[in-house]
Amino acid sequence: MKTSTRAVLGVVLAAALLIAAALWLGRTGDGSGRTVVRLRIWDENFVPAYRASLDAFERANPDVAVRITVVPWSSYQQKLRLDVAGGTADDLFWTNLYEDYADAGRLLDIGAALGPDAARAWDPSAVAQYSRHGKLWAVPQFVDGGTAVYYNRDLLAAAGIDPAELNTLRWGGPDDTLRPLLRRLAAVAPWPYNAAHDFQSIDLPFLGSAGGRFQDAAGHFVFDGPQGVTAYEYLVRLVADRLAPSAADTDTNRDFTKNAFLQGKLALLQSGTYNLAQIAQQARFPWGVALLPAGPAGRVSTDNAIGVAGNAATPHPDAVRRVLAWLGSAAGNRYLGLDGSSIPAVVADQQVYRDYWAHKGIDVSPFFDVLAGPRISSGGGSGFPVALEAIDQILGEMFLGRIPVPEALSRACAAADAAVAGR
């Protein structure tokens, strides 16, 4: 065969392969004539519950197939930003930082897609979290409840502490009872408590119970006020006094304190319901749940919800609308609560979650009782993800003891505001 002939055949073959690859990557079915809708989440533990729910959806909607993609949390936000910008994001995806996508017209208007009455079934705090400029931008899937304290009964008993004492703890001021209790626990446990830079479980509850705020009404970061200094100086001192793990460990491994609790090395883990199922499955010691400590302004928690957003660029708007309607319905959402892994966002389904844990003999009321009191907003707005990145870098240094608390908070607020302004 002549060289020129081989060259022509090579070009033709390459073109054919490129066309085939393009057709494969751009296909919208699964070979059965069904429309394929893709859902992206960041926690593989939710795959069984979602698969059960979506299997029920597919039986009622045989023309649609829903595929689940898991992108680990460590890279989820960055990859999602790149994929949304590049037009390769899934049809549906979990979100908790949605504002930039909504403002850029990248998300489906849930009210327009499902009708204004759909939101009446959902947890009001979740609806408020995903509402912006008078529109709703995600279908709430599950809520975290409030923050509480997991405790190791064996370690408390070794220190001579009645678990009932935990429900009366206060931090700060002359009536501080948290620090003395932690000192008693320090005699029997490598680490008494998980004081660390943990935005939802530690930072916000301490800031709120000191009487502070994370952001003001205009969106400026204001946690550097006197209340913020009080809260963070208390936390940093706990770390410096070895009543909590070193920031060198907790800053590089966000699961460090949870793993330490599961290993029986941490006596008290202040956290949310998102760790409840794993603790129930893996803890090899008796444990319980208590109210979080109160501060100068009382006992204050935050709450959070995860929603599913619709990609405005989806080539399957009708199929996506039907999947969203199912995931936001009582019939579809209840699967997320059946195994106790999360609190369904559909209010009518939340009893399923409570019943599951009651059957296991675990009282989850501390996660709910705390929400009867004041709450602190976890913040948000355009540019919020980049602001958090700026804050994390500085507060990490603060918890390591390298920057004094007042200076670190002032720098962090300024850096966060600058990050939003310059994004």
Side-chain angles (χ1 to χ4, degrees), residues 80-400:
L80 182 62
R81 286 198 298 270
L82 293 173
D83 290 347
V84 170
T88 58
D90 296 275
D91 304 283
L92 300 163
F93 48 83
W94 269 5
T95 182
N96 61 343
L97 301 172
Y98 70 94
E99 291 92 343
D100 288 341
Y101 301 128
D103 292 350
R106 302 285 192 169
L107 304 182
L108 293 176
D109 177 344
I110 300 301
L114 304 186
D117 293 336
R120 294 181 181 178
W122 304 328
D123 190 291
S125 64
V127 173
Q129 179 179 334
Y130 289 102
S131 295
R132 182 169 174 80
H133 303 319
K135 295 181 179 181
L136 185 63
W137 298 104
V139 173
Q141 291 296 278
F142 55 91
V143 296
D144 287 337
T147 300
V149 176
Y150 298 91
Y151 59 86
N152 183 317
R153 289 183 182 272
D154 289 343
L155 292 177
L156 261 62
I161 297 172
D162 186 334
E165 290 185 49
L166 302 181
N167 290 321
T168 64
L169 289 177
R170 300 188 64 85
W171 69 267
D175 59 347
D176 185 348
T177 55
L178 175 59
R179 181 182 292 273
L181 181 135
L182 296 182
R183 291 195 180 280
R184 293 163 64 189
L185 286 170
V188 301
W191 301 294
Y193 186 52
N194 66 317
H197 176 37
D198 183 328
F199 182 64
Q200 183 170 340
S201 298
I202 300 293
D203 295 51
L204 288 175
F206 270 85
L207 179 62
S209 61
R213 295 180 297 164
F214 191 65
Q215 284 177 287
D216 63 17
H220 297 295
F221 295 87
V222 295
F223 55 89
D224 59 343
Q227 299 89 347
V229 172
T230 296
Y232 281 106
E233 283 188 337
Y234 189 92
L235 291 170
V236 169
R237 177 52 56 188
L238 291 181
V239 177
D241 291 346
R242 299 185 178 180
L243 297 176
S246 167
D249 293 318
T250 58
D251 277 0
T252 56
N253 181 2
R254 296 298 184 183
D255 289 330
F256 184 88
T257 53
K258 179 188 66 178
N259 292 337
F261 182 79
L262 289 170
Q263 294 161 6
K265 298 178 180 179
L266 181 76
L268 304 178
L269 175 68
Q270 185 166 305
S271 189
T273 56
Y274 41 85
N275 282 326
L276 180 56
Q278 185 176 2
I279 289 172
Q281 293 166 2
Q282 299 183 18
R284 297 295 179 260
F285 50 83
W287 57 276
V289 184
L291 289 168
L292 82 168
R299 186 176 284 110
V300 181
S301 177
T302 186
D303 57 351
N304 188 40
I306 301 302
V308 167
N311 185 350
T314 177
H316 321 296
D318 178 66
V320 164
R321 180 192 60 76
R322 283 189 279 161
V323 176
L324 284 172
W326 171 256
L327 294 177
S329 70
N333 192 230
R334 69 188 304 270
Y335 288 88
L336 300 185
L338 290 176
D339 64 353
S341 60
S342 62
I343 306 169
V346 174
V347 175
D349 287 336
Q350 292 181 350
Q351 191 60 42
V352 171
Y353 176 87
R354 291 175 178 257
D355 291 345
Y356 176 89
W357 290 111
H359 180 71
K360 296 285 186 180
I362 297 172
D363 180 13
V364 297
S365 60
F367 295 109
F368 295 90
D369 291 349
V370 70
L371 297 179
R375 306 184 194 185
I376 179 172
S377 171
S378 58
S382 297
F384 194 69
V386 295
L388 288 182
E389 290 176 6
I391 291 168
D392 283 346
Q393 294 175 4
I394 298 171
L395 295 194
E397 294 292 299
M398 180 189 74
F399 272 90
L400 286 168

